[in-house]
Amino acid sequence: MNIRVRFAPSPTGYLHIGAARSALFNWLFARKVGGKFLLRIEDTDLQRSTDESVASIIEGLEWLGLHYDEEKVFQSDNAEKHRAAARKLVEEGKAYRDFTPKEQRADANVKQNIADRARAHAAEGIDHRSNPFRDLAKGESDRRAAAGEPFAIRLKVARDGSSRFTDIVYGEQERAYSEIEDLVLLRSDGHPLYNLSVVLDDIEMGITHVIRGQDHLTNTHKQILLYHAFGADVPQFAHLPLILAPNKAKLSKRKHGEVVSLTTYRDRGFVPDAFVNYLALLGWSPDTTRYPAQIVRDNQEVRPNLEPGTEIFSRQRLIEEFSLDRIHKSPAVFNFHENDPRHWTDDKALWMNAEYIRTMPLDELSPMVKDELRAEKLWREEYDDDESEWFVKVVDLIRQRFFTLKDFSSQGRAYFSEDFDLEEAAVRKNILKEPKLKELLPQLADRLDQVEPFTAANVEAALRVFAEESQQKAGLFINASRTMLTGQAVGPSMFDVFEIMGRERSVMRLRSQRPWNEF
RNA sequence: GGCGCAUUGGUGUAGUUGGUUAACACGCUGCCCUCUCAAGGCAGAGAUCACGGGUUCGAGUCCCGUAUGCGCUACCA
């Protein structure tokens, strides 16, 4: 069987992480089983759909590296087919025209309206199947339609019995038909509705596995009814647990803002593979029996496939390890702290990004750093040419303590530009607290100017000799130098910094009187 | 209101047919390393497995109930 899955976002805003995770799981599954991963834009809600949103979705997928197969489908292009299909159902007696005038309902309190209406109906003993047009004679219905009377088309759901299916994640699902209303397929203005469109498009696209958010779980029964009505094969369903906000509330674009937007992660310096890795662990986990920690089972050695305890999975490894039956059912909390810049998003995501930055191959990292420097106007063409070796060395040196790609242009700025800030706290702690440094640092500069060749080891030797002669601790000069050269109190081993900066810049910055002029 | 789904330390998760002190990752604390900060190494705090019953010699694991959260219930998607 040719396995075909799809990611079907509605373009009503930016791509949020829940949707991105759905896309990822579909993609992982497709790649794992050698199937096709398709993209369909569900833009049937014309009022809310925008081109910018479509662009942001495509950009997001591209950034994550989730390439879709075949041509993307716009659901709105199929509206005419969907209308025809609904009409056919009326002809076959599987659906009926509902001439009830359309109710106006305010979008804001739909939930409340539903509850109120349900209560009222229960009190009056009205079954939601008691639509007067459900059993209207076909001839009469045709006549009224021909006369131009507006109508919606509803599916005629069986009175007795129940619908059941097996969800790959949530297991056996059953729902009595009496709980399923005669759903509207076509609005009275002829507009096809979601449940009709998804089913028809999924049939046409040959979708075999529907992998999507748990919010669609109960509606699946309605959709299965439609598959039956159209005489089509019902696909397999796998519903994904929802991703919640820290207080276990629904993660919403409106309330939680940019932290849930995928583009935020790109713009704030995430490495795509790191974010993919993090996202994959939200609602899925690998089979730990393949970890060496539990390598022996039934006296049989199991393949030592993974480092003990690791959660770092390359894209390739993710594909190898992924399986739908290890997706779990309970919702995951996306743990971020709104007003804390250090923890603006989930700690684990941040840690994982840092882990990728400090361990990934330099030939993959360097281009990302290049993009970042370009964006901040710190890039020089020499870094691609004569100084390419130097550039990669700097990246390797400073990446060790960075969390995001942004850090290369902010904390790493002094390596690429003379225009960098001195941090006040660093200056006070490492320089101003020892007045003699005003005289001593230029002397140190003179001394280092003589070092030949200008290597870490030679600079270290010279500096230590100078410290001894001036009867100061080496640490005083080391820490002061760090602040003079980088503006900061923290950073890589100082002698490596000297070597990387080179004689000219090191000496010039040591002679600078900026700390005394600026503070 | 009805129906459905979920519930293991702060967060993500493991715990496959019920069986010794509930495991791992992130985060947190302390120590080591050290020119700083990270990284790394070591040690540690933190979970009466939502609650209440039941089945059993024995339950996080099975059954029932309750609570809480979430979802669906729309001529939204």
Side-chain angles (χ1 to χ4, degrees):
Chain A
M1 178 163 90
N2 281 331
I3 291 180
R4 293 165 69 82
V5 298
R6 85 304 197 269
F7 172 51
S10 57
T12 54
Y14 51 68
L15 185 60
H16 65 92
I17 56 172
R21 190 263 239 130
S22 293
L24 173 62
F25 282 22
N26 273 285
W27 181 85
L28 284 173
F29 178 64
R31 291 294 173 266
K32 165 88 177 190
V33 300
K36 297 280 189 226
F37 170 66
L38 311 179
L39 175 64
R40 181 174 72 231
I41 306 291
E42 305 219 318
D43 56 348
T44 53
D45 186 338
L46 277 354
Q47 277 82 39
R48 290 195 295 157
S49 300
T50 65
D51 291 345
E52 298 81 78
S53 177
V54 173
S56 125
I57 287 164
I58 290 169
E59 254 174 56
L61 290 180
E62 200 166 306
W63 181 68
L64 287 174
L66 309 182
H67 304 295
Y68 55 88
D69 302 308
E70 303 182 5
E71 207 34 60
K72 62 176 170 291
V73 172
F74 284 92
Q75 190 159 66
S76 57
D77 290 347
N78 298 333
E80 195 41 60
K81 282 188 218 163
H82 298 166
R83 275 188 278 274
R87 282 188 222 110
K88 181 158 164 273
L89 253 27
V90 174
E91 290 309 311
E92 294 171 352
K94 293 172 178 168
Y96 62 94
R97 298 189 187 91
D98 181 356
F99 295 96
T100 311
K102 186 185 175 192
E103 276 181 59
Q104 284 311 107
R105 46 165 64 84
D107 233 33
N109 45 14
V110 259
K111 306 262 180 205
Q112 194 52 49
N113 290 344
I114 291 165
D116 291 346
R117 193 179 58 167
R119 250 187 300 267
H121 283 189
E124 296 163 34
I126 300 174
D127 179 72
H128 54 222
R129 202 67 44 78
S130 39
N131 188 310
F133 299 100
R134 183 179 156 105
D135 296 311
L136 186 67
K138 181 73 166 44
E140 173 67 7
S141 172
D142 287 348
R143 249 193 312 283
R144 290 176 69 162
E149 192 174 337
F151 60 86
I153 292 180
R154 284 183 186 270
L155 185 72
K156 193 183 276 187
V157 178
R159 248 174 230 286
D160 304 307
S162 62
S163 155
R164 59 184 64 213
F165 70 97
T166 304
D167 188 88
I168 294 172
V169 175
Y170 287 90
E172 298 299 321
Q173 299 295 315
E174 182 175 0
R175 202 168 188 211
Y177 286 142
S178 60
E179 292 297 329
I180 304 174
E181 60 158 3
D182 286 349
L183 59 150
V184 173
L185 271 18
L186 228 53
R187 266 202 239 157
S188 46
D189 62 5
H191 187 82
L193 257 21
Y194 173 72
N195 283 307
L196 176 69
S197 296
V198 237
V199 170
L200 255 12
D201 283 348
D202 281 342
I203 293 171
E204 180 162 317
M205 292 166 80
I207 300 303
T208 58
H209 297 251
V210 174
I211 304 168
R212 75 230 304 187
Q214 190 252 29
D215 47 343
H216 292 287
L217 187 62
T218 34
N219 276 335
T220 304
H221 289 103
K222 296 178 180 174
Q223 292 166 205
I224 288 175
L225 250 23
L226 283 169
Y227 278 99
H228 291 325
F230 292 120
D233 289 340
V234 180
Q236 301 256 62
F237 293 95
H239 286 87
L240 274 23
L242 262 26
I243 300 178
L244 270 27
N247 58 1
K248 294 198 196 293
K250 189 181 178 180
L251 208 49
S252 88
K253 299 177 181 182
R254 195 170 49 78
K255 267 191 69 181
H256 305 288
E258 64 167 14
V259 71
V260 304
S261 165
L262 187 71
T263 47
T264 300
Y265 293 85
R266 180 197 59 195
D267 297 343
R268 295 186 69 156
F270 264 77
V271 172
D273 280 19
F275 201 68
V276 162
N277 194 159
Y278 170 75
L279 232 35
L281 262 15
L282 233 40
W284 171 84
S285 60
D287 184 355
T288 53
T289 58
R290 303 177 66 184
Y291 282 54
Q294 299 176 26
I295 191 170
V296 179
R297 290 182 79 199
D298 307 324
N299 293 322
Q300 289 281 306
E301 287 237 334
V302 175
R303 182 165 62 111
N305 200 41
L306 296 163
E307 292 301 314
T310 191
E311 295 197 332
I312 302 292
F313 300 97
S314 68
R315 201 169 282 261
Q316 191 51 42
R317 189 35 82 54
L318 239 24
I319 292 169
E320 284 167 22
E321 299 293 322
F322 190 76
S323 72
L324 293 178
D325 50 28
R326 289 198 62 87
I327 295 173
H328 46 89
K329 304 174 186 179
S330 49
V333 171
F334 188 61
N335 195 26
F336 57 92
H337 310 262
E338 247 147 336
N339 300 312
D340 185 346
R342 178 59 232 289
H343 303 280
W344 63 273
T345 187
D346 196 294
D347 277 339
K348 195 162 185 167
L350 243 19
W351 166 79
M352 201 165 264
N353 200 46
E355 182 70 18
Y356 269 80
I357 285 177
R358 83 173 81 92
T359 60
M360 69 192 288
L362 281 164
D363 55 359
E364 287 173 32
L365 177 62
S366 298
M368 296 181 191
V369 177
K370 173 178 176 177
D371 288 344
E372 171 58 24
L373 294 187
R374 262 223 174 104
E376 297 298 323
K377 308 245 187 306
L378 292 170
W379 178 255
R380 296 170 49 224
E381 290 308 321
E382 292 87 332
Y383 298 157
D384 247 350
D385 195 11
D386 295 352
E387 296 180 20
S388 66
E389 209 175 304
W390 178 83
F391 176 68
V392 173
K393 265 159 90 180
V394 175
V395 170
D396 194 24
L397 181 67
I398 62 182
R399 67 170 166 164
Q400 301 301 330
R401 59 218 79 205
F402 287 172
F403 281 84
T404 72
L405 296 168
K406 279 272 150 206
D407 292 333
F408 284 94
S409 64
S410 54
Q411 286 170 247
R413 189 177 179 94
Y415 293 87
F416 308 108
S417 168
E418 290 307 315
D419 177 27
F420 63 95
D421 290 333
L422 297 184
E423 280 177 18
E424 177 160 0
V427 170
R428 298 210 181 281
K429 173 166 173 261
N430 288 339
I431 299 174
L432 299 184
K433 68 157 189 213
E434 177 48 79
K436 290 186 196 134
L437 284 171
K438 190 169 174 19
E439 312 302 328
L440 287 172
L441 285 176
Q443 290 174 31
L444 175 63
D446 294 340
R447 190 67 66 93
L448 296 189
D449 206 7
Q450 306 303 313
V451 172
E452 181 59 47
F454 199 79
T455 61
N458 290 346
V459 171
E460 175 162 11
L463 183 142
R464 288 193 189 280
V465 168
F466 178 77
E468 210 164 309
E469 288 174 11
S470 51
Q471 303 197 318
Q472 299 290 343
K473 282 186 177 166
L476 176 71
F477 293 113
I478 290 170
N479 290 323
S481 298
R482 174 150 36 238
T483 302
M484 293 299 282
L485 266 64
T486 69
Q488 294 162 4
V490 303
S493 172
M494 197 51 211
F495 301 111
D496 292 333
V497 175
F498 275 122
E499 181 174 319
I500 277 284
M501 288 288 186
R503 185 203 317 276
E504 194 185 337
R505 283 205 287 175
S506 296
V507 167
M508 181 180 74
R509 291 183 186 183
L510 282 180
R511 286 186 180 136
S512 146
Q513 294 289 302
R514 285 182 66 191
W516 297 275
N517 297 338
E518 294 178 22
F519 296 97

